[in-house]
C-alpha cells in the first residue's frame, strides 16, 4: 500500500475522459487499472489516494503512468481569465491528467474508437484481451488479462475480431498489427519522433485519420501539443471559438485543454 496526497488528480474523471479504456470502478471510491500487464487498485477520498502496490512499483511505473510529476496547476493557471467557457471546463475536470500509455494499445484502442462510444470501446478492449491476451492473477486471486501484442493479432483473418464486437474495425486492427510485425511500421522509431513526424507516420496506417492520429499522439506518445478534434470538440469550437481555438496561447500543452473541453462536453451531453 502506498498513500499519497495529490493535487489535480481524480481517478473517476480520468476513467471517464475517453483516453483510457481499462479503468473500472469496483466500488464507490475504488477503481482498478490494467496497464502494461500490471494490475492496480486505487482508493481515493479527495486528495488522499491509496495505491494498492509496492512503493517500488508506484515509483517505477504508476507515478509515471499517471503523469504525477507534471504540474497541472500551472496549465490551469495559464487559461485566459476572459475565457469563461474554458475556465469552467478546466475547473470541472481539474483532476484529469494525460496518461502515459502503451503506444500499441493506444493505436488499437483508437482504431476501435471510430464511430463508437466509450462503453462499447471498453467492451471491445475487454473482449480482445480475454480472447488473445495473457491471463494473470491479481492480489485478490482474480484473473485479469493483458492487452495482446501485435504479434498475437497480425496473422488472424481480417474479420476475426468481429467476434470481439469490433465490426468493420477488425480489419483495421489486424492489418495494422501485421504491418508492425513485418517491420513496415517501427513503433520504437515513432516513440522518438517529434509530434509532426510521428503523426505523419501514424497516418500511413490503415484506418488512421487526423483525429485518430492525434489521439494516439496525445495518449500513446504524450505529445501534449496534439489536439484531437471529434464531433464534440467541433461543436464546442463552433460555439465558443468562432475564430478557432487559441492554440498559440497554450503552445506545448494544447492537448490538456482539449481534454478539459472534451470531458465537459461529454458530461453536459450526459454521455458519461
Amino acid at each position: 500500500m502506498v498513500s499519497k496526497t495529490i493535487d489535480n488528480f481524480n481517478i473517476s474523471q480520468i476513467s471517464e475522459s475517453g483516453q483510457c479504456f481499462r479503468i473500472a470502478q469496483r466500488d464507490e471510491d475504488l477503481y482498478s487499472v490494467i496497464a502494461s500487464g500490471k494490475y492496480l487498485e486505487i482508493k481515493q477520498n479527495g486528495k488522499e489516494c491509496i495505491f494498492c502496490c509496492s512503493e517500488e512499483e508506484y515509483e517505477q511505473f504508476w507515478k509515471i503512468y499517471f503523469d504525477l510529476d507534471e504540474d497541472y496547476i500551472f496549465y490551469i493557471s495559464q487559461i485566459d481569465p476572459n475565457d469563461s467557457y474554458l475556465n469552467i471546463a478546466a475547473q470541472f475536470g481539474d483532476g484529469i491528467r494525460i496518461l502515459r500509455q502503451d503506444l500499441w494499445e493506444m493505436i488499437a484502442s483508437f482504431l476501435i474508437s471510430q464511430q463508437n462510444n466509450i462503453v462499447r470501446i471498453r467492451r471491445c478492449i475487454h473482449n480482445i484481451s480475454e480472447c488473445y491476451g495473457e491471463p494473470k492473477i491479481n492480489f485478490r486471486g482474480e484473473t485479469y488479462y493483458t492487452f495482446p501484442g501485435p504479434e498475437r493479432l497480425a496473422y488472424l483473418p481480417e474479420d476475426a475480431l468481429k467476434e470481439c464486437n469490433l465490426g468493420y474495425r477488425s480489419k483495421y486492427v489486424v492489418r495494422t498489427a501485421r504491418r508492425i510485425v513485418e517491420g513496415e511500421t517501427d513503433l520504437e522509431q515513432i516513440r522518438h519522433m517529434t509530434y509532426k513526424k510521428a503523426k505523419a507516420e501514424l497516418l500511413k496506417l490503415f484506418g488512421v485519420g487526423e483525429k485518430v492520429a492525434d489521439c494516439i499522439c496525445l495518449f500513446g506518445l504524450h505529445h501534449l501539443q496534439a489536439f484531437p478534434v471529434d464531433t464534440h470538440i467541433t461543436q464546442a469550437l463552433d460555439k465558443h471559438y468562432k475564430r478557432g481555438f487559441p492554440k498559440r496561447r497554450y503552445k506545448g500543452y494544447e492537448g490538456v485543454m482539449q481534454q478539459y473541453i472534451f470531458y465537459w462536453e461529454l458530461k453536459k451531453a450526459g454521455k458519461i
Side-chain angles (χ1 to χ4, degrees):
M1 299 285 191
V2 177
S3 181
K4 299 289 179 182
T5 301
I6 309 171
D7 291 318
N8 297 95
F9 176 81
N10 186 311
I11 188 62
S12 175
Q13 291 179 2
I14 292 169
S15 74
E16 295 179 333
S17 66
Q19 61 172 306
C20 178
F21 306 104
R22 305 208 73 191
I23 300 178
Q25 187 173 11
R26 291 189 64 116
D27 206 344
E28 184 177 356
D29 57 357
L30 182 66
Y31 287 77
S32 65
V33 187
I34 301 171
S36 297
K38 301 178 187 299
Y39 178 91
L40 175 74
E41 289 186 10
I42 302 175
K43 190 175 182 67
Q44 182 167 15
N45 182 11
K47 295 182 180 181
E48 305 305 314
C49 302
I50 297 174
F51 295 80
C52 299
C53 63
S54 67
E55 184 75 39
E56 180 182 18
E57 184 174 304
Y58 171 81
E59 289 291 333
Q60 292 184 0
F61 185 79
W62 294 111
K63 183 169 75 170
I64 298 166
Y65 176 82
F66 286 114
D67 204 30
L68 295 180
D69 280 334
E70 199 63 42
D71 183 6
Y72 282 72
I73 295 173
F74 168 77
Y75 297 142
I76 294 173
S77 73
Q78 299 304 299
I79 296 174
D80 183 350
N82 295 317
D83 189 339
S84 58
Y85 171 77
L86 187 53
N87 274 286
I88 290 169
Q91 289 166 19
F92 186 80
D94 67 352
I96 295 172
R97 287 172 177 260
I98 308 298
L99 305 181
R100 295 178 179 269
Q101 301 181 79
D102 176 72
L103 176 56
W104 157 243
E105 185 171 341
M106 289 302 95
I107 290 172
S109 296
F110 285 99
L111 283 170
I112 292 167
S113 75
Q114 298 178 74
Q115 302 297 313
N116 224 337
N117 61 49
I118 291 174
V119 172
R120 288 175 59 192
I121 299 164
R122 284 176 179 156
R123 192 177 303 125
C124 291
I125 298 297
H126 172 80
N127 291 344
I128 291 174
S129 299
E130 199 169 72
C131 289
Y132 298 101
E134 177 188 350
K136 289 193 170 187
I137 306 296
N138 67 18
F139 67 88
R140 294 180 181 273
E142 301 167 339
T143 300
Y144 70 96
Y145 296 87
T146 65
F147 189 78
E151 66 283 350
R152 288 282 290 127
L153 308 179
Y155 298 107
L156 295 175
E158 289 194 352
D159 62 353
L161 298 180
K162 287 183 177 180
E163 295 182 0
C164 298
N165 299 116
L166 268 66
Y168 69 87
R169 307 166 194 86
S170 175
K171 62 180 178 293
Y172 294 170
V173 176
V174 172
R175 288 189 192 181
T176 299
R178 188 177 306 143
R179 184 181 175 99
I180 291 167
V181 169
E182 294 181 351
E184 292 180 66
T185 297
D186 189 328
L187 297 188
E188 194 57 37
Q189 284 187 1
I190 292 174
R191 287 187 184 97
H192 294 94
M193 290 178 179
T194 64
Y195 162 57
K196 287 186 177 180
K197 288 184 178 179
K199 182 176 177 178
E201 197 65 26
L202 291 167
L203 285 168
K204 296 177 184 177
L205 300 176
F206 183 66
V208 172
E210 290 281 330
K211 176 250 183 179
V212 169
D214 271 327
C215 285
I216 297 166
C217 284
L218 183 57
F219 305 128
L221 293 166
H222 211 71
H223 288 308
L224 297 186
Q225 62 269 59
F227 192 92
V229 177
D230 72 341
T231 54
H232 298 288
I233 296 295
T234 297
Q235 289 168 4
L237 297 183
D238 288 346
K239 185 174 182 180
H240 301 285
Y241 301 98
K242 296 189 184 301
R243 296 183 179 179
F245 186 75
K247 291 183 180 180
R248 185 174 297 178
R249 181 183 181 96
Y250 308 109
K251 186 175 175 59
Y253 51 94
E254 300 97 309
V256 179
M257 300 300 138
Q258 188 271 2
Q259 275 288 273
Y260 295 145
I261 294 171
F262 183 76
Y263 181 69
W264 176 234
E265 290 297 320
L266 283 187
K267 276 291 188 181
K268 284 197 304 177
K271 295 191 175 182
I272 49 175

